[in-house]
């Protein structure tokens, strides 16, 4: 079984609140310890409710937004105003509602040619971290039904990437935009904390496979932190097959 903390909460609302509590606590600790917090947002639909909670009381005023830097785990190769943009979702629900300085929102420039966007984002990361490797305080990740995370998809050559921090990718997943820019495993695995947010019964099978090992390897299993904490925050529906195993009622 993957060496990780697994937290199961009753439903998607509870998942969003637990994620908001952890986000707030981790950001406050990072700012207290290091004067700033670097947080990577995931795309997809799962984090929507979390973003809305962070933009409102009681969480919003507990977060030192002036010291927060936001990044993305991946972006679709679309303009920032496109419906498929991960940035647009976060901008509408969260960023437009909180006092984060605009130059602390490190958008992936999805409107540029993929290789140009990837190089620009990688330079942004290296400038921010003043060195070759990032060390994010918190990385939020989702899990696809095929075991992908960020835009690291099954059988992708990027799964073997050990040098680049950011790379173009292509995806065929639920009709979402195919062109992607993604963080690679080396960019994620140096994080202090990675928090997967997974909800819904459609994810129950892949959650069991990723966490318990049958089948695979899946991209999400490539998340192995060198010096950090890996946590999986699941609602009961997504954890259903895990819990069945633990109670022995196969
Ligand atoms: C993306 C995400 C992707 C997402 C998973 C889960 O750009 O789509 O980064 O990795 O997190 O596909 O998506 P849902 O939360 O919508 O199930």
């Amino acid at each position: 079984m993957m060496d990780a903390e697994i937290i199961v909460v009753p439903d998607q609302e509870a998942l969003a609140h637990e994620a908001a509590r952890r986000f707030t606590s981790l950001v406050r600790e990072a700012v207290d310890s290091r004067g700033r917090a670097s947080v990577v947002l995931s795309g997809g639909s799962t984090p929507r409710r979390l973003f809305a909670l962070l933009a409102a009381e009681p969480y919003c005023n507990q977060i030192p937004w002036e010291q927060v830097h936001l990044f993305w785990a991946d972006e679709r190769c679309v303009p920032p105003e496109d419906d498929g943009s991960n940035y647009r979702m976060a901008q509408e629900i969260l960023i437009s509602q909180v006092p984060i300085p605009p130059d602390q929102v490190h958008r992936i420039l999805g409107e540029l040619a993929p290789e140009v966007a990837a190089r620009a984002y990688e330079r942004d990361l290296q400038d921010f971290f003043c060195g070759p490797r990032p060390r994010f305080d918190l990385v939020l990740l989702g899990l696809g039904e095929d075991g992908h995370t960020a835009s690291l998809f099954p059988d992708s050559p990027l799964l073997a990437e050990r040098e680049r921090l950011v790379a173009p990718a292509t995806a065929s997943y639920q009709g979402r935009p195919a062109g992607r820019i993604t963080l690679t495993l080396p960019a994620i695995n140096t994080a202090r904390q990675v928090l997967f947010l997974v909800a819904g019964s459609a994810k129950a099978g892949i959650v069991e496979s990723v966490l318990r090992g049958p089948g695979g390897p899946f991209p999400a299993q490539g998340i192995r932190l060198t010096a950090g904490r890996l946590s999986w925050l699941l609602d009961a529906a997504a954890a259903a097959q895990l819990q069945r195993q633990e109670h022995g009622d196969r």
Side-chain angles (χ1 to χ4, degrees):
M1 171 176 139
M2 182 182 279
D3 179 19
E5 172 193 24
I6 299 174
I7 313 103
V8 181
V9 294
D11 52 35
Q12 297 202 27
E13 183 68 6
L15 184 140
H17 277 279
E18 179 59 24
R21 276 192 287 275
R22 286 170 176 254
F23 181 107
T24 304
S25 168
L26 284 160
V27 163
R28 290 172 65 91
E29 185 276 327
V31 170
D32 289 348
S33 310
R34 293 175 291 279
R36 67 185 189 180
S38 52
V39 178
V40 174
L41 303 180
S42 77
S45 57
T46 302
R48 291 181 70 93
R49 181 63 180 139
L50 165 62
F51 293 169
L53 290 178
L54 294 175
E57 296 314 311
Y59 302 104
C60 185
N61 277 1
Q62 295 175 35
I63 295 167
W65 293 105
E66 293 75 13
Q67 284 79 40
V68 174
H69 287 256
L70 293 179
F71 299 84
W72 275 264
D74 65 337
E75 185 55 278
R76 291 76 176 274
C77 293
V78 296
E81 64 276 6
D82 188 287
D83 285 346
S85 165
N86 288 333
Y87 163 80
R88 176 179 170 175
M89 177 181 77
Q91 165 64 18
E92 286 181 347
I93 301 172
L94 174 58
I95 297 167
S96 59
Q97 308 300 311
V98 299
I100 184 170
D103 64 353
Q104 295 177 200
V105 178
H106 302 261
R107 182 173 72 86
I108 301 173
L109 306 178
E111 66 276 24
L112 300 182
E115 194 57 50
V116 174
R119 298 283 181 202
Y121 191 49
E122 184 161 290
R123 268 196 311 276
D124 188 5
L125 295 182
Q126 289 173 332
D127 289 349
F128 179 81
F129 288 102
C130 303
R133 285 274 190 269
R135 182 145 165 75
F136 293 110
D137 293 304
L138 172 59
V139 177
L140 297 175
L141 290 176
L143 178 69
E145 293 175 36
D146 57 0
H148 82 260
T149 192
S151 283
L152 299 168
F153 284 82
D155 305 321
S156 166
L158 288 181
L159 298 176
E161 179 60 53
R162 293 293 175 266
E163 295 307 319
R164 296 188 70 175
L165 302 178
V166 186
T170 54
S172 172
Y173 184 74
Q174 293 187 352
R176 296 178 180 179
R180 307 292 185 93
I181 308 293
T182 187
L183 290 181
T184 60
L185 293 173
I188 297 170
N189 283 336
T190 50
R192 289 186 171 84
Q193 167 78 57
V194 169
L195 181 61
F196 275 92
L197 306 181
V198 190
S201 56
K203 303 285 177 74
I206 192 62
V207 163
E208 184 199 33
S209 297
V210 167
L211 290 179
R212 295 285 189 260
F218 300 102
Q221 292 172 323
I223 304 299
R224 296 190 199 92
L225 303 193
T226 50
R229 187 169 68 156
L230 171 59
S231 301
W232 287 76
L233 182 52
L234 311 169
D235 71 354
Q241 294 191 24
L242 284 183
Q243 290 174 323
R244 206 172 28 250
Q245 262 204 5
E246 270 149 22
H247 296 131
D249 49 5
R250 270 187 170 281

